[in-house]
Amino acid sequence: MKLPLFQNLLLEVENKICLLTINRPDKLNALNNAVLDELSEAADFVETTDEISALIITGAGEKAFVAGADIAELSALNEDSGTDAAEKGQDIFNDIESLSKPVIAVVNGYALGGGTELALASHIRVATQNAVFGLPEVSLGLIPGYGGTQRLPKLIGRGRALELILTGRMVKSEEAGALGIANYVLETKADALAKAKELIGMMTKHAPIALSGAISAVVAAQDYEAEDGFTIEANIFGDLCATDDFKEGTGAFLEKRKPVFTGN
Ligand code: COA
């Protein structure tokens, strides 16, 4: 099998398991457009390659899974391009969630914003001890735009999801496990990868057609209510991209200072 080559992703296949590593460690694996395009291509490759029966997604290095959407790129968005950007991220993450093969996120280190959203789009999350989840978009004058407002409440309940989305606070691995964001918490990345492979072994001994049927049915149950919600999320994300507070929030991050919000 010929594996596609990417600039920002590493793909390996062993024992029919594809290990996809987001590989932009100098920016803590932040999702810029190039990474998103490659993720989309990689998801298609996994779906259409018979020699692959499951996917593990992780981040390069020990420090971060994915530290979010790329804030430098976000800062240039306006109302229209903001809505488009959210819809693009949603589409790719929906494709990942809808893959007909099991997808496990091995969450090593920071999984913030789009990182938590990518983990939420995966079917199962196995975290390392140093994993940190969070949806800090409000600190940038934004809301989660890659499906986080839709998936987190479904996973952990509306009250707990709203607390995390409105405070933007970071959740360490132990709490993430207690909340049900992480299915398992393991000491090291090697342990977490081993756990993910063990789970995949337990799944792939079963009928592949039953696995894909189960995924479709569970995803359909979620989409039943969420379809409109995704559109609302993308539109609000776009509206916020036209505000002063968004410019201040993203500008402050890039200038490494605290934002001063005015409500405009
Ligand atoms: N987008 C773009 N660049 C990012 C990024 C993001 N989401 N997250 C981190 N980076 C970059 C930093 O700008 C820095 O780049 P530089 O070395 O060129 O200055 C590099 O990655 C290392 O990050 P740094 O902030 O110096 O590391 P830290 O250990 O001090 O802090 C975090 C780690 C994760 C707490 C911090 O990077 C952070 O808050 N990131 C943004 C998280 C976020 O709001 N994500 C949601 C986006 S919607």
Side-chain angles (χ1 to χ4, degrees), residues 24-31 63-64 66-74 110 112-115 117 134-137 139-140 142-144 170 237 253-254 256:
R24 210 185 158 217
D26 57 322
K27 295 290 180 190
L28 304 185
N29 305 321
L31 301 172
K63 190 170 171 183
V66 165
D70 189 294
I71 296 170
E73 282 190 2
L74 285 184
Y110 290 110
L112 299 176
E117 291 174 299
L135 293 173
E137 284 85 350
S139 71
L140 301 169
L142 276 177
I143 62 167
M170 295 190 194
F237 188 94
F253 177 83
L254 296 171
K256 301 187 189 295

Side-chain angles (χ1 to χ4, degrees), residues 89-99 121 151 219 223 230:
Q90 289 178 353
D91 285 348
I92 296 168
F93 286 12
N94 287 343
D95 284 349
I96 290 172
E97 182 179 56
S98 304
L99 282 179
R151 291 195 178 92
V219 171
D223 281 353
F230 280 107

